[in-house]
Amino acid sequence: MQSDLEILPQSQERMRGNEILEFNMTMRNIRPIQDPDKPKVYIETYGCQMNVNDSEVILSILQDAGYVLTEDMDEASIILANTCSIRDNAEQRIWGRIDQFRLQKRKRDGVVIGIVGCMAERLKDKLLEKVDLVAGPDSYRTLPEMIEAVRPDSPQINVLLSHEETYADIAPVRLDRNGVSAFISIMRGCNNVCSYCVVPYTRGAERSRDPQTIVAEAQELFDNGYKEVTLLGQNVDSYMWEDEDDMDRNVNFAQLLEMVAQISPELRVRFSTSHPKDISDEVIYTMAMYENICKHIHLPVQSGSSTMLEKMRRKYNREWYLERVAKIRSVIPDCGLTTDVIAGFSGETEQDHKDTLSLMEKVVFDSAFMFAYSERPGTLASKKYPDDITYELKTERLNEIIALQGRMSLRSNEKEIGKIHKVLVEGPSKKNPEQLCGRASNNKMCVFPSLGEKAGDYCFVEVESVTSATLICKRVDEDITEL
Ligand code: SAH
Ligand code: SF4
Ligand code: F3S
């Protein structure tokens, strides 16, 4: 990973706000339905949380059409990769995987290979030379017919983007996780057109999903034992449901948050991603009002330099960002704050880079996803601004950013020592199965002794010591806390 300038801190093992962590769902905790007579589909998922949720939508559509999931590519008749285009290396990895998928075709007759998701949308028929099926993020409803129509000389493609599709009526088949925490997409697409970013081209225009269907989905998850939902969108703060008949019944993001939080105090609500230009005081106050809305905001800054931010078309500057952080902390003093940073955007000077470092020192983020700038064809930046920072300099700056964030994460965690947290148990700790792990409201990972609890239970813990990634805790009684 390091060689292609995409480095994830080890502390960030779990999928979070637009995290560019890829994983193979088939390696996770899935229990495929066993039915030898049904055709089997194998899905690999790359990219952000929205793609993870999309794979769950895809599986729902395919299950309704009579397919079953398999975790073994060797027995699959349909092999799908749900792909990401955010940086060049994300795409390079998929090209490598396609070659491996094609080996399956040589071994067995009738295997269908499909590329779906953002890379399908971006590269369109370029992919058809290598695979049988190409489907963009808004065309998953047509997958069953497309699969049926595939013939050796007739690959299928549907990359139409929609202004309406939200898959609101589809109940995603929960593929991953431990039955405790689930993603709910509340909107699709993005209208922001940040100059470096490919997402508006791969996912199309922004559209919000009917809030009633969101609440119904969250309620159903809760009724089925889930304890945490994460509301997903590229820019959740611009969520807006417009009621056709009555404007007074429009729903904005703060109102949606409240509606979901009111399902039950036992159901935690998280959300991602917030855009610094759009996060409103109303959202911050709503978070403060409900104990079960987790006190964590993923607020990607991208750069600490106002010059770079303007060129990136982020529509805020350094001062604006710092004011939003100050507002969040004045209303919710213990709010977890995480971010995304891009190193080496076009024309970035030593001073711009120093501005990023100084902003990070000022804010002290709990953690960050840090990337080297990767020019994406078709974006505004690719047309207007040269990719003129050398690989070596990008790497050097990125490494400096990563090293600083390591120190900041430790500093932020050290402040937790002695604090008491309510933690939602996720399961046994990976390093020590005798212990449990789970997240505090501020999203920090806690490890603590088990008293026989299981995933989905709440526990109270006190932080005794820390690493830059984890809070090491002891157990405390619920009634000594004032949470
Ligand atoms: N909608 C979210 C971000 C989605 S993409 C937001 O606006 O905050 C996730 C992250 O990938 C971005 O925050 C950015 O840090 C990174 N990213 C996007 N395009 C990139 C590019 N061309 N090169 C490097 N990193 C990029
Ligand atoms: Fe990309 Fe900007 Fe939209 Fe985020 S807000 S998805 S960075 S265009
Ligand atoms: Fe997500 Fe990657 Fe697409 S980050 S929106 S899967 S380009």
Side-chain angles (χ1 to χ4, degrees):
M1 292 275 265
Q2 227 136 326
S3 63
D4 47 17
L5 300 185
E6 185 174 304
I7 302 174
L8 286 172
Q10 284 187 332
S11 61
Q12 295 162 1
E13 291 162 345
R14 205 176 78 144
M15 303 294 290
R16 293 191 330 183
N18 287 298
E19 178 177 347
I20 313 306
L21 181 63
E22 65 191 46
F23 71 97
N24 178 345
M25 282 190 171
T26 61
M27 282 162 26
R28 293 202 152 200
N29 185 18
I30 318 162
R31 280 168 295 279
I33 303 163
Q34 299 300 331
D35 185 339
D37 299 331
K38 290 192 169 177
K40 294 190 175 61
V41 56
Y42 169 91
I43 311 179
E44 282 184 11
T45 305
Y46 297 82
C48 62
Q49 295 169 325
M50 303 210 64
N51 252 18
V52 175
N53 195 222
D54 277 4
S55 287
E56 298 178 330
V57 167
I58 290 170
L59 188 62
S60 176
I61 292 167
L62 291 181
Q63 271 192 8
D64 282 352
Y67 296 89
V68 290
L69 183 74
T70 174
E71 41 189 317
D72 180 4
M73 183 161 56
D74 287 331
E75 62 167 26
S77 46
I78 320 292
I79 298 173
L80 297 179
N82 189 5
T83 58
C84 175
S85 285
I86 200 83
R87 282 172 292 277
D88 183 54
N89 58 359
E91 289 194 350
Q92 292 314 323
R93 215 163 292 144
I94 304 291
W95 286 114
R97 276 311 271 162
I98 291 175
D99 290 339
Q100 283 168 298
F101 294 162
R102 282 161 60 102
L103 291 178
Q104 292 287 330
K105 268 182 100 72
R106 274 190 234 138
K107 281 198 263 175
R108 294 179 291 132
D109 284 341
V111 172
V112 171
I113 299 174
I115 296 296
V116 305
C118 289
M119 195 172 158
E121 193 62 49
R122 197 181 86 73
L123 294 174
K124 301 187 169 62
D125 32 10
K126 252 194 211 150
L127 283 161
L128 278 188
E129 290 160 23
K130 293 249 178 184
V131 301
D132 307 303
L133 180 153
V134 174
D138 288 344
S139 59
Y140 298 148
R141 286 180 201 268
T142 65
L143 276 173
E145 298 97 85
M146 290 175 77
I147 293 170
E148 281 292 302
V150 167
R151 300 281 175 278
D153 52 352
S154 164
Q156 298 294 307
I157 179 163
N158 184 351
V159 286
L160 286 180
L161 283 172
S162 154
H163 284 278
E164 285 94 34
E165 181 62 273
T166 58
Y167 301 110
D169 56 318
I170 292 177
V173 176
R174 303 294 165 184
L175 276 167
D176 170 38
R177 338 280 305 247
N178 41 16
V180 173
S181 195
F183 295 136
I184 303 183
S185 294
I186 62 165
M187 59 209 293
R188 298 180 74 82
C190 182
N191 281 353
N192 283 310
V193 204
C194 300
S195 63
Y196 52 83
C197 182
V198 78
V199 171
Y201 307 94
T202 62
R203 295 228 159 215
E206 184 181 291
R207 64 223 96 121
S208 296
R209 175 178 165 190
D210 184 334
Q212 299 307 335
T213 69
I214 297 169
V215 173
E217 189 173 330
Q219 178 74 59
E220 196 184 322
L221 284 163
F222 183 64
D223 294 342
N224 283 303
Y226 281 81
K227 292 290 181 60
E228 185 175 84
V229 292
T230 303
L231 308 181
L232 296 180
Q234 290 299 348
N235 177 3
V236 289
D237 303 282
S238 67
Y239 175 89
M240 176 56 83
W241 175 256
E242 287 172 7
D243 192 291
E244 279 168 16
D245 307 318
D246 181 0
M247 259 178 51
D248 291 340
R249 284 169 50 198
N250 286 0
V251 176
N252 67 18
F253 181 59
Q255 291 161 329
L256 177 72
L257 255 185
E258 181 158 38
M259 286 161 73
V260 179
Q262 283 174 346
I263 289 174
S264 165
E266 287 286 296
L267 179 70
R268 276 184 165 186
V269 188
R270 296 187 183 276
F271 56 90
S272 189
T273 301
S274 295
H275 196 301
K277 82 175 159 66
D278 291 321
I279 186 164
S280 65
D281 290 355
E282 193 188 353
V283 166
I284 301 169
Y285 287 119
T286 306
M287 286 177 75
M289 258 162 50
Y290 288 87
E291 190 264 337
N292 59 327
I293 302 182
C294 289
K295 306 298 180 272
H296 168 230
I297 301 177
H298 185 66
L299 198 66
V301 66
Q302 315 299 0
S303 169
S305 151
S306 293
T307 321
M308 285 295 106
L309 288 170
E310 184 167 357
K311 230 170 148 179
M312 289 173 163
R313 298 190 81 205
R314 288 292 284 179
K315 311 253 173 75
Y316 56 85
N317 59 20
R318 179 186 172 95
E319 288 68 38
W320 173 277
Y321 188 90
L322 290 173
E323 186 282 325
R324 287 288 79 194
V325 170
K327 180 73 194 185
I328 292 164
R329 289 193 168 148
S330 73
V331 180
I332 312 168
D334 288 331
C335 193
L337 262 183
T338 54
T339 201
D340 295 346
V341 180
I342 298 177
F345 185 57
S346 171
E348 187 184 70
T349 62
E350 204 48 42
Q351 186 55 48
D352 294 323
H353 171 57
K354 288 214 168 81
D355 287 349
T356 297
L357 297 175
S358 76
L359 183 133
M360 291 170 68
E361 271 183 291
K362 232 181 162 107
V363 177
V364 191
F365 295 107
D366 300 313
S367 65
F369 298 109
M370 297 156 281
F371 312 104
Y373 172 55
S374 163
E375 187 179 84
R376 308 310 294 128
T379 57
L380 210 78
S382 74
K383 292 175 192 155
K384 261 177 93 174
Y385 306 125
D387 183 10
D388 54 3
I389 308 298
T390 61
Y391 177 89
E392 289 70 27
L393 194 52
K394 279 182 191 170
T395 312
E396 195 182 307
R397 288 181 181 168
L398 181 59
N399 285 337
E400 228 179 308
I401 288 170
I402 289 168
L404 174 62
Q405 184 51 47
R407 296 196 293 279
M408 295 297 110
S409 297
L410 184 63
R411 188 186 297 173
S412 144
N413 282 354
E414 279 167 352
K415 282 210 229 146
E416 297 284 329
I417 292 173
K419 284 191 190 162
I420 289 168
H421 285 294
K422 183 178 173 182
V423 172
L424 177 60
V425 177
E426 287 180 12
S429 153
K430 278 191 204 120
K431 286 202 187 125
N432 177 0
E434 309 276 287
Q435 302 245 313
L436 294 174
C437 70
R439 280 174 198 265
S441 171
N442 64 10
N443 210 36
K444 290 187 191 243
M445 181 54 91
C446 302
V447 172
F448 46 94
S450 168
L451 296 178
E453 289 87 353
K454 54 187 188 328
D457 290 342
Y458 287 107
C459 293
F460 287 84
V461 301
E462 181 181 331
V463 183
E464 286 195 303
S465 62
V466 300
T467 67
S468 64
T470 313
L471 310 182
I472 297 137
C473 309
K474 66 176 183 183
R475 303 295 298 259
V476 290
D477 287 338
E478 197 166 326
D479 51 19
I480 64 162
T481 65
E482 284 176 35
L483 291 163

